[in-house]
Amino acid sequence: MTQTASPATPEETKASNFLRQIIENDLDKGTYASRRWAGSPGDAAHHAEGAPDTAKIRTRFPPEPNGYLHVGHAKSICINFGLARDYGGVCHLRFDDTNPEKEDTEYVNSIIDAVKWLGFSWSQPGNDAPYQASDYFDFMYRAAEHLIEAGHAYVDEQTADEMRANRGDFGKPGVNSPFRSRTPAENLTRFREMRDAKLADGAAVLRAKIDMASPNINMRDPAIYRIRRATHHHTGDKWCIYPMYTFAHPIEDALEQITHSICTLEFEDQRPFYDWLMDKLCEGGLLAAPSPKQYEFARLNLTYVVTSKRKLAQLVNEGKVNGWDDPRMPTIAGLRRRGYTPESLQLFAERIGVTKSDSWIDYSTLEGCLRESLENTAHRAMAVLDPVKLVLTNWDEAFGAGHSEPCTLPALPHPPEGQPEPAARQFSIGKEVWIEREDFAEVPPKGYKRLTLGSLVRLKGGFVVECTGCSKDANGVVTEVHAKVFPETKSGTAGSDSVKAKGVITWVGVADGVQAEVRLYDRLFTDAQPDAGGKDFLQALNPLSLQVVQAYVEPSLLQAAPDQKFQFERLGYFVADRLDHSSNHLVFNRAVGLKDSWAK
Ligand code: ATP
Ligand code: MG
């Protein structure tokens, strides 16, 4: 199924999720019913001591802690944790930290935050900490020695170039290494020398002995251990050899008794090796059967977004954005600061579904989920982003000089059922109010329902006014709009209908309005596929992705808490910035407009 703008409904999505069918089938057949779980990861002997596993399935989310998680990871998190939740299982959070060079505790913490914030938990009785693949290095080493002893692995000392040349290619079988026929005893000695730092980095690798003529290049004796003198953030200098990802990952799954190991499509060609390795280690009695199985789904590609940690790091490091949690970033931290809710991202993951073929999801699908999430929960407020003063010239005669008239509007027009209705908003109107500059036109376009000479307009929650003109500066820029108020037309009173208004505009009182910094965010890129086909995504940066304006907002927003979401009426959804907002300095980020301004 190719998806662009029109996502499946949640019902269709559930039905089309092929992973659910696989799991339901396994549960019916009892594929994993015999598994035991010893309360912590371990080998066959360890789990044999345990009781039958009460988790019906085990899935895992295995990020490499080398950057912040992005919206694609959110999809993977929702799939893995969602399936475990729905089928009486458990989902593990596992740091895939087998690569010694790139990891950082800042990233570890940000990943923990992101998963929790999305609403998921990996903790089990007596088992709160996430798992770390580096805890399994001892077992991985033992597994490697086992493969050597069983004749399934050998130490290769060809140069990297020779190895590459001898691997062959798509149409050409590989050539056996001259080191391939070494005896297990010789291999074991050499491998131990690798471990004991007797060989230089790159001087040798351990390879699985499978088939150099396999049509699947991944089965042509893949490297499984390499020499790398690097300090690991967790194991320090204990090791100078590290397992390759393709070897480490299936073992991590097996030690954790994972049943369904779900990954993105680019790992499809690795599946035969995954199964090969599981077979060999189960045969040898090292790992408990039944083994985990790998299933692949299409990664998320979202228009106007790049989802590669490396490229996101480049945006941060080159100062194109203000950090990993910049509200324009597609990181979970950025989306959160932008005003996205966990519910909106879960809804998004459900709606785009799980498929087997790569496709692009339109950015507006993500935005639509946010609007849906906020529609009935975000309190309403009035704000004026591009203010010009409206003077009600007959105010003093009508009400008396200096009079200010209290007004009220509901915080939520449709409060969710069963929840107490939030207190109504209080604000007031006087002789002068702020309105949006574009709500007045000297020469109105056809069908204009706002302020223009002689038009009748309601100030929302206030009075009907009739526009009587404007004053301008020497450059012809409007400095003030003038109108007369109909004093008997206050909203919610019997006379409110006595004068018919053509349109309704939002406003903020000059006397009680509060200044606020409003950050108007837009898409970070102007190109729908900024990095497709090797394009330089930095060329497609949207110069207008952030505009900061000084706005006036209604006084109820003095109570806004950081991270609280609002609908600024007629303008969009906004969030009080988690970091910069305070009652002394109001800062709101635009999360999303009320409708898709990019739609053609
Ligand atoms: P990146 O390429 O951005 O560095 P990655 O795949 O290397 O991403 P990992 O930390 O290895 O990042 O990913 C953890 C999990 O998230 C993996 O199971 C991976 O398949 C999944 N994942 C990563 N990117 C996406 C995506 N765009 N859509 C869906 N799942 C993803
Ligand atoms: Mg990766």
Side-chain angles (χ1 to χ4, degrees), residues 238-315:
K238 178 174 176 197
W239 298 96
C240 69
I241 55 171
Y242 289 95
M244 305 296 284
Y245 179 84
T246 44
F247 175 73
H249 200 84
I251 291 178
E252 294 159 23
D253 287 343
L255 294 175
E256 292 180 17
Q257 291 279 286
I258 299 302
T259 54
H260 300 82
S261 175
I262 299 161
C263 63
T264 41
L265 280 176
E266 65 269 26
F267 293 100
E268 197 166 11
D269 289 345
Q270 302 280 3
R271 190 176 353 116
F273 179 72
Y274 189 109
D275 293 337
W276 179 92
L277 182 62
M278 292 293 100
D279 283 351
K280 297 291 173 274
L281 297 179
C282 283
E283 268 166 34
L286 276 77
L287 291 177
S291 309
K293 290 265 179 270
Q294 175 182 303
Y295 304 95
E296 307 89 19
F297 70 97
R299 65 187 292 115
L300 171 67
N301 296 309
L302 191 60
T303 60
Y304 299 98
V305 161
V306 299
T307 49
S308 140
K309 276 184 252 166
R310 185 181 57 77
K311 290 174 186 163
L312 295 177
Q314 204 179 333
L315 290 169

Side-chain angles (χ1 to χ4, degrees), residues 388-390 434 437 470-474 476-481:
V388 66
K389 206 177 265 181
L390 171 68
W434 299 111
R437 188 164 279 283
C470 68
S471 46
K472 295 193 261 185
D473 67 12
V477 176
V478 174
T479 51
E480 257 180 28
V481 180

Side-chain angles (χ1 to χ4, degrees), residues 46-103:
H46 175 73
H47 287 302
E49 305 271 291
D53 194 354
T54 52
K56 295 216 172 70
I57 61 168
R58 287 184 186 267
T59 56
R60 85 286 174 268
F61 174 65
E64 208 181 325
N66 61 352
Y68 279 63
L69 299 182
H70 53 62
V71 60
H73 295 112
K75 173 180 178 179
S76 177
I77 292 169
C78 290
I79 291 172
N80 281 295
F81 282 91
L83 289 171
R85 173 198 61 209
D86 293 350
Y87 291 103
V90 170
C91 180
H92 299 186
L93 174 62
R94 176 204 308 151
F95 290 109
D96 209 329
D97 59 352
T98 51
N99 187 347
E101 276 134 349
K102 295 184 287 184
E103 280 109 31

Side-chain angles (χ1 to χ4, degrees), residues 23 59 119 133 141 153 200 209 211 244 270 325 391 399 461 481 516:
I23 292 171
T59 56
Y141 179 80
K209 190 172 181 176
D211 178 7
M244 305 296 284
Q270 302 280 3
D325 63 354
V391 180
F399 294 102
V481 180

Side-chain angles (χ1 to χ4, degrees), residues 217-237:
I217 295 184
N218 296 294
M219 295 298 271
R220 295 184 187 170
D221 293 6
I224 59 180
Y225 255 99
R226 65 194 164 131
I227 310 170
R228 194 89 199 81
R229 285 171 175 75
T231 304
H232 188 280
H233 78 122
H234 182 213
T235 57
D237 291 322

